[in-house]
Amino acid sequence: ISQLTTPPWALVNGELVPYTDVKIHIGAEALTRALSVFEGVKGYWDSAGEVFSLRTPRRHYDRLCRSASLFHIPVRFSYDEFLAGLSTLAGELLVPDKDLWFRPTMFVTHGHWGEATEADLVVTAFSQRKLDPDPMRLGVTSWRRASDLVLPTRVKSSANYVGARMARIEVRRLGYDDAIMLNDFGRVAEATGACVLIAQRGRIVTPPTSESCLDSITVDILEEVAKDLGMPFERRPIERTELLAADECGLAGTISELTLVSELDGVEYEQSGLLAQLRQRYLELMRGDLVLPNVDLVPLVDASRALRPVGAGVQAG
Ligand code: PMP
């Protein structure tokens, strides 16, 4: 967030609140036992700059509910309320030509261990520019992605990012942009905030969630795009040397979209093959220039009508 401009508003349990007034109590389980789950949802302007739509918001709501339910966090909001909340916030923060990235966070405010648990839902949103370098240079970190019996990695919980942060700090000190994390078996899990795709001998391959990766919405969408392009797409375990020997490598995520990787631990990848084509097509889909039956872009018509510029922001600390 430090690279993003502080927005004027956040949404707290459906109400607009000045961003800097959003507070959390020191006694909250969210702090003591990391009881916090979240999403990153992206909204795109279409290529004509007229319609602003959310990418697959239902899938994000469903994953947020799955994350919450796994940790016994009660969900107080229906999908319609969730969508209405994003729309309200977009009405305040959306500006022409700039996409918005929303972060809904559900965190436990009350309840000791598992008893009498209550959670708040806070949504923040940021005008998005690309945060990562493109293409990226990666290194394999010595930190492992937790196994399923240590922490559930298929859902999106704050606790999962403790190890990812250590990994990122380690490889950044070595001069890389991001880390590849291996799982408990020494096979490829994912990067610190995105999934890994490789291309080799005409096929796209990515590890399944059982390899300790997040159940990624972008990977599911990229699979649809690949199918539409007639590219073979496989989910199976990938070993470290297979990753190093691949023709191409990319990172997939809501924010990363499909970012190409130029290098892993000094080994270089091709930049203009299947993954570059896949990325191109994915961006066309996001801008409304391609329509696929299983990928919903939900227009926020009210947001487009209520357009007004964001006030001068200050840099977040
Ligand atoms: N893995 C991790 C650890 C992530 O933080 C993300 C970003 N949410 C992803 C994978 C990609 O998931 P998605 O496509 O749903 O954004």
Side-chain angles (χ1 to χ4, degrees):
I1 307 297
S2 62
Q3 298 171 61
L4 300 165
T5 301
T6 304
W9 299 103
L11 204 76
V12 179
N13 297 325
E15 303 289 328
L16 282 171
V17 172
Y19 182 88
T20 44
D21 289 354
V22 183
K23 302 275 188 321
I24 182 168
H25 195 273
I26 185 64
E29 285 280 279
L31 293 176
T32 314
R33 273 171 277 270
L35 261 297
S36 162
V37 294
F38 66 102
E39 279 300 316
V41 184
K42 180 91 190 271
Y44 287 88
W45 284 104
D46 68 356
S47 52
E50 284 166 4
V51 181
F52 176 80
S53 305
L54 295 176
R55 189 205 69 171
T56 61
R58 177 87 222 189
R59 296 193 201 196
H60 286 284
Y61 175 79
D62 288 347
R63 188 172 63 185
L64 189 64
C65 293
R66 283 203 303 281
S67 303
S69 124
L70 203 68
F71 293 108
H72 306 276
I73 301 174
V75 177
R76 292 156 53 188
F77 300 92
S78 66
Y79 172 63
D80 287 345
E81 287 167 327
F82 176 78
L83 202 56
L86 297 190
S87 177
T88 303
L89 201 56
E92 296 298 323
L93 303 183
L94 194 61
V95 290
D97 301 329
K98 278 202 176 156
D99 298 327
L100 261 188
W101 164 60
F102 300 83
R103 174 174 281 175
T105 304
M106 206 185 292
F107 56 94
V108 175
T109 52
H110 293 87
H112 186 64
W113 291 92
E115 282 162 29
T117 305
E118 286 176 30
D120 281 354
L121 175 64
V122 172
V123 187
T124 52
F126 304 91
S127 278
Q128 207 222 331
R129 60 195 160 81
K130 194 113 175 127
L131 298 178
D132 292 332
D134 187 5
M136 290 183 90
R137 298 175 54 251
L138 307 183
V140 174
T141 172
S142 62
W143 296 98
R144 296 274 163 113
R145 184 85 173 154
S147 80
D148 195 52
L149 294 180
V150 175
L151 269 181
T153 49
R154 70 186 60 234
V155 297
K156 200 163 166 69
S157 79
S158 301
N160 284 339
Y161 291 84
V162 177
R165 179 173 175 273
M166 308 262 263
R168 199 182 275 207
I169 289 171
E170 181 184 58
V171 302
R172 290 233 168 136
R173 285 169 65 120
L174 300 172
Y176 295 113
D177 302 315
D178 196 7
I180 291 288
M181 299 187 78
L182 305 178
N183 61 24
D184 236 17
F185 304 101
R187 295 189 296 262
V188 176
E190 59 180 358
T192 59
C195 286
V196 180
L197 262 60
I198 59 172
Q200 57 181 1
R201 291 188 287 282
R203 311 181 77 77
I204 294 172
V205 187
T206 190
T209 49
S210 52
E211 291 293 285
S212 292
C213 2
L214 182 71
D215 195 0
S216 159
I217 293 166
T218 313
V219 170
D220 289 349
I221 297 173
L222 287 167
E223 185 172 18
E224 300 282 338
V225 178
K227 261 196 243 153
D228 186 62
L229 285 168
M231 292 177 184
F233 191 101
E234 261 177 67
R235 294 183 197 240
R236 61 163 177 76
I238 298 176
E239 291 182 318
R240 180 180 187 164
T241 55
E242 187 181 13
L243 177 61
L244 282 163
D247 298 331
E248 301 163 52
C249 177
L251 298 187
T254 303
I255 302 299
S256 310
E257 297 170 325
L258 179 51
T259 301
L260 300 182
V261 175
S262 57
E263 176 199 324
L264 173 66
D265 287 331
V267 176
E268 293 188 357
Y269 294 109
E270 283 172 31
Q271 303 291 298
S272 56
L274 291 184
L275 294 184
Q277 267 181 61
L278 188 63
R279 165 163 72 183
Q280 175 68 30
R281 213 60 186 137
Y282 175 83
L283 295 176
E284 285 168 21
L285 179 67
M286 294 302 110
R287 298 273 171 228
D289 297 325
L290 166 71
V291 175
L292 292 180
N294 295 329
V295 183
D296 285 348
L297 291 190
V298 176
L300 288 188
V301 180
D302 288 348
S304 319
R305 257 198 269 126
L307 259 190
R308 59 191 158 94
V310 179
V314 290
Q315 282 295 304

